[in-house]
Amino acid sequence: MDQHLTYIFAANIFLTFIDATVGYYAAPAVALLVGTDEEEVGRTVLSVRRLLSWVVTLYMFFNCLAYFDNKEWLLYFTTAVLAVDITAQLLLFRKVIGRRGR
């Protein structure tokens, strides 16, 4: 197995943790887009944070599948999806927080 795949595999693990962390802290911003009622926002935040565990599970599943089955294209695809997900969350968080003035 190529050594660069090992580096990408390890990088994807860290990217998954970064994605989960950003998602956890961006959940209130996502909730503000959904509704304005405080109770509704609270439920949405909890739902988004519960969904994060499933997203992390899927990212790690595909990361491990790609690495251990030596599917280079899937490893690169997983990396790209993680990068786009993190970027989208950061942009959404920045847009909502900038609009709300916090």
Side-chain angles (χ1 to χ4, degrees):
M1 191 174 304
D2 293 333
Q3 189 172 3
H4 78 282
L5 292 181
T6 305
Y7 292 136
I8 295 171
F9 174 72
N12 281 350
I13 292 171
F14 287 112
L15 284 174
T16 301
F17 289 134
I18 291 168
D19 179 60
T21 303
V22 169
Y24 184 84
Y25 288 108
V30 172
L32 287 174
L33 289 175
V34 174
T36 56
D37 181 23
E38 189 173 323
E39 184 178 321
E40 183 180 338
V41 169
R43 282 183 294 175
T44 305
V45 169
L46 288 175
S47 297
V48 169
R49 288 180 175 167
R50 272 190 227 124
L51 181 65
L52 283 173
S53 63
W54 289 103
V55 171
V56 167
T57 301
L58 283 173
Y59 285 150
M60 290 306 296
F61 171 76
F62 286 114
N63 191 38
C64 291
L65 177 71
Y67 180 72
F68 292 112
D69 281 350
N70 202 21
K71 295 181 181 179
E72 192 171 337
W73 67 271
L74 185 56
L75 199 60
Y76 290 131
F77 183 75
T78 304
T79 305
V81 169
L82 277 163
V84 168
D85 188 20
I86 292 169
T87 304
Q89 287 181 43
L90 289 173
L91 290 175
L92 180 70
F93 181 74
R94 185 175 180 195
K95 179 181 177 182
V96 170
I97 295 303
R99 183 179 63 191
R100 298 282 181 173
R102 292 184 191 183

